[in-house]
Amino acid sequence: MSAQGEILDDGTFRLTTSRPGDGALEGRHRVLIEVPRPREGDLAGRREPPPILDPRLGRFETSGLEINVERKDNQVILKLKKARLSGAARKPA
């Protein structure tokens, strides 16, 4: 059973499995980070902005992130890698 949560502006997050804020099941879990993509129409003719996080974080197999949930109040710190910008992505449009 998967848990999910939204990362807030201050970097904190709370996981939910069945009910809001109920946490994750006890045990080791692989973690992925999904960055929301702009919806069609939100860009209004502009190019999609370059990714802010390393795209490998979006897959369990490549994120390298794991957490261990114990039967207590868990404080988890995940260190994330920024995306590398290609030369084309650095140039203004």
Side-chain angles (χ1 to χ4, degrees):
M1 186 171 268
S2 294
Q4 61 184 357
E6 183 176 341
I7 301 172
L8 303 178
D9 289 340
D10 66 0
T12 61
F13 61 94
R14 182 170 210 94
L15 295 176
T16 295
T17 301
S18 304
R19 295 181 321 274
D22 64 356
L25 297 176
E26 191 174 351
R28 291 199 70 70
H29 301 275
R30 293 186 299 170
V31 175
L32 65 81
I33 308 292
E34 286 185 337
V35 177
R37 312 236 2 150
R39 291 176 291 188
E40 202 168 315
D42 285 351
L43 296 175
R46 296 174 306 201
R47 280 192 263 178
E48 186 172 330
I52 58 173
L53 292 176
D54 187 326
R56 292 178 292 187
L57 293 171
R59 296 177 45 96
F60 288 120
E61 300 81 13
T62 57
S63 76
L65 299 172
E66 279 193 358
I67 62 171
N68 186 39
V69 176
E70 298 177 11
R71 198 175 287 263
K72 65 176 188 169
D73 185 22
N74 293 270
Q75 299 291 318
V76 175
I77 296 175
L78 298 171
K79 294 190 178 191
L80 309 179
K81 294 180 182 178
K82 290 183 179 180
R84 289 186 177 181
L85 296 178
S86 68
R90 288 183 221 170
K91 295 178 185 173

